[in-house]
Amino acid sequence: MNRFSSRASTRARRAQRTEAAPAASLPVDLPPKPTSGAPIEEPVEMPATYTDIKVSLHERLLDEINLSAIDKLSPEQFADEVGGLIKELLESDKTSLNTKEQKQIILDVIDEIKGLGPIEPLLKDATVDDILINTHAQVFVERGGILELTRVKFKDDRHLLRIINKIVSTIGRRVDESQPLVDARLLDGSRVNVVIPPIAVDGPLVSIRKFSKMPFTMEKLVANQALTQNMADILQGVVECRLNVLISGGTGSGKTTMLNAMSAYIGSRERIATIEDAAELQLQQDHVVRLETRPPNIEGQGEVRMRELLKNTLRMRPDRIIVGEVRGGEAFDMLQAMNTGHDGSMTTVHANTPRDAMTRVEQMVGMAEMDLPTRTIRMQIASALHLVVQVSRLSDGGRRVTSITEITGIEGDILQMQEIFHFVRLGTDEDGVIHGEYRATGIRPKFMEQFITRGIKISADAFDPDRAMGVGGDDDAV
């Protein structure tokens, strides 16, 4: 026991502290432990005293255990040690719990010590895509594009802030009143955004975009009706021909998912450099170098912005550069890289249409303070970018590729674009499910010449406008 705690030395102190503690009873029928592969149930709703007991046990255990020894124990040993201590504390407090309740509270306290407390079961639930914490009192999740209010709660804002600090400290970041906004990531790669008071008026806010352990492949996107097989074949050819791609879409529309899926077609012999604010890309190639921005420290020093990372990346001999998302002046450096031998590079941008995406890129180049004429900026865009893939999250929660558009050049001061495929919405059923189909516009893209020279074969009627393609990827005659 010495390696974990010193029980003998603390029993007397415990007795004094809890001598007059009233007994508590929690007659709750807890759910059985879920089987492997099944969605993990949210914690059963319990009286408020349960949360109080759990948080109190956690705080007291931190005084009792030898924190430096935790990592030396196996999960089973750790659970046994914590279980023994919790039972002693409950007995000394005269807290009455049945066997199921004791097992549940042991698991919950372990989550508090080694995990992220009340949301740990949600992080383990494979059906949950997003976890949205609106102060200590509300936790929403997104499953299949639909938001649901859970019964998970924190004891108070102090409890939630402790979990927040555990998240940000693991990657060397901080959050306080002087820096109330922070982007971070969990150890599994999940992306986290935190906002605390005074910016967050009602209490701390946390948004977690979970990291998929099994990244979406293009085949899975086709099976999920995000696009058709014909469109997927075109995108594969685009990557193999080393065309520069901009993936455009709104928040939560699937930009990063599409970027991951398309990147799978990059050759294994190429050196790929990725640049992100919070690393979340899941490239499968062997030769990948990953860079991540860094915020300033408490003295306001040490910040590393995306522009600096992009400039440094050019000295690292990459074959392709992938920027998780362009948001500011780094758009200029990205275009420069695409125009100077780094063909086949990709990035994403927040925009609702391909034309809006071009406007956004133009505005962000202006943020680089280069004082370039509008026509010069548009010429840079036209020569650097070849394709815009527009993704959208529809009202039924489905995520689809709603447009594939080619950038063909510039005439006068106007960027020339031509849409190749688009999603046509046909109606909505009584359950709110959107029905539609993918259609070609009939335009044969200019990059087909590169497909031919590289031996990439595409169906002869791939661009036939009279050939409707169902959302499931099956081709149906009009």
Side-chain angles (χ1 to χ4, degrees), residues 271-305:
R271 177 175 168 86
I272 309 166
T274 68
I275 303 172
E276 302 173 81
D277 279 326
E280 58 178 330
L281 291 174
Q282 305 175 64
L283 274 63
Q284 306 302 306
Q285 291 79 0
D286 294 328
H287 201 165
V288 179
V289 292
R290 305 169 69 204
L291 302 178
E292 184 179 64
T293 61
R294 187 178 70 182
N297 58 24
I298 195 169
E299 290 84 18
Q301 305 295 320
E303 180 181 17
V304 180
R305 299 178 301 169

Side-chain angles (χ1 to χ4, degrees), residues 266-391:
I266 298 175
S268 59
R269 295 184 178 181
E270 298 185 58
R271 177 175 168 86
I272 309 166
T274 68
I275 303 172
E276 302 173 81
D277 279 326
E280 58 178 330
L281 291 174
Q282 305 175 64
L283 274 63
Q284 306 302 306
Q285 291 79 0
D286 294 328
H287 201 165
V288 179
V289 292
R290 305 169 69 204
L291 302 178
E292 184 179 64
T293 61
R294 187 178 70 182
N297 58 24
I298 195 169
E299 290 84 18
Q301 305 295 320
E303 180 181 17
V304 180
R305 299 178 301 169
M306 195 167 285
R307 291 201 68 180
E308 283 79 40
L309 291 179
L310 257 168
K311 292 174 182 177
N312 186 78
T313 299
L314 297 178
R315 305 184 184 102
M316 298 173 67
R317 195 233 167 261
D319 292 303
R320 303 194 195 219
I321 299 173
I322 297 180
V323 178
E325 180 182 343
V326 287
R327 299 178 181 176
E330 67 271 7
F332 173 78
D333 301 285
M334 185 74 213
L335 294 178
Q336 290 293 97
M338 290 176 171
N339 274 321
T340 54
H342 299 91
D343 298 332
S345 296
M346 293 184 278
T347 187
T348 73
V349 67
H350 272 82
N352 295 322
T353 68
R355 179 62 68 177
D356 287 346
M358 295 299 95
T359 302
R360 283 273 295 151
V361 172
E362 183 180 328
Q363 291 172 342
M364 289 186 290
V365 171
M367 294 167 65
E369 300 179 352
M370 301 300 294
D371 196 24
L372 299 173
T374 299
R375 176 175 170 76
T376 301
I377 295 175
R378 292 176 181 173
M379 288 177 64
Q380 288 277 341
I381 295 173
S383 60
L385 291 170
H386 302 106
L387 200 73
V388 180
V389 179
Q390 184 70 40
V391 293

Side-chain angles (χ1 to χ4, degrees), residues 12-249:
R13 185 180 52 195
R14 256 187 246 145
Q16 291 177 353
R17 186 170 59 221
T18 61
E19 185 175 3
S25 179
L26 301 176
V28 180
D29 187 16
L30 297 174
K33 186 176 181 180
T35 57
S36 177
I40 295 177
E41 295 289 338
E42 299 160 14
V44 170
E45 188 170 13
M46 294 184 174
T49 52
Y50 177 84
T51 302
D52 295 335
I53 292 173
K54 180 181 67 175
V55 174
S56 175
L57 285 171
H58 172 242
E59 292 174 348
R60 291 163 64 185
L61 280 172
L62 292 180
D63 294 332
E64 309 263 346
I65 63 178
N66 178 6
L67 294 176
S68 63
I70 290 179
D71 294 334
K72 300 177 183 177
L73 300 179
S74 68
E76 294 77 15
Q77 290 173 322
F78 180 76
D80 288 343
E81 297 282 357
V82 169
L85 282 170
I86 288 176
K87 288 177 182 178
E88 286 190 14
L89 289 170
L90 291 174
E91 290 172 1
S92 66
D93 288 349
K94 299 180 181 180
T95 301
S96 176
L97 297 178
N98 62 38
T99 302
K100 285 186 177 180
E101 292 165 355
Q102 283 192 19
K103 289 181 178 179
Q104 183 66 39
I105 205 165
I106 288 171
L107 291 175
D108 289 345
V109 172
I110 290 174
D111 284 342
E112 289 284 339
I113 296 174
K114 300 197 74 171
L116 297 181
I119 63 171
E120 192 67 26
L122 301 178
L123 291 168
K124 296 174 182 175
D125 188 341
T127 68
V128 173
D129 299 317
D130 291 85
I131 302 171
L132 307 171
I133 304 172
N134 300 342
T135 74
H136 73 276
Q138 278 189 331
V139 178
F140 286 84
V141 297
E142 181 188 300
R143 288 188 174 97
I146 306 300
L147 286 177
E148 305 171 11
L149 177 63
T150 72
R151 291 171 294 191
V152 174
K153 294 181 180 180
F154 292 80
K155 179 182 178 182
D156 48 31
D157 283 349
R158 179 171 170 267
H159 182 197
L160 175 54
L161 282 170
R162 177 161 52 78
I163 298 298
I164 289 173
N165 280 311
K166 181 182 288 190
I167 292 172
V168 300
S169 64
T170 56
I171 60 169
R173 300 196 177 185
R174 64 185 180 85
V175 59
D176 52 36
E177 286 190 5
S178 64
Q179 188 171 319
L181 305 172
V182 68
D183 286 318
R185 69 176 187 277
L186 304 182
L187 294 177
D188 68 354
S190 297
R191 184 174 63 192
V192 183
N193 175 263
V194 174
V195 187
I196 68 168
I199 302 300
V201 177
D202 298 317
L205 307 173
V206 183
S207 304
I208 301 176
R209 172 68 53 82
K210 285 181 60 180
F211 181 90
S212 176
K213 293 181 174 60
M214 294 295 292
F216 273 81
T217 61
M218 196 65 77
E219 290 76 15
K220 191 172 181 180
L221 291 177
V222 171
N224 287 355
Q225 305 178 3
L227 73 168
T228 65
Q229 186 60 56
N230 191 42
M231 296 163 68
D233 292 340
I234 297 292
L235 294 181
Q236 178 177 352
V238 163
V239 175
E240 292 176 352
C241 283
R242 300 181 63 88
L243 301 182
N244 296 323
V245 178
L246 178 68
I247 300 173
S248 167

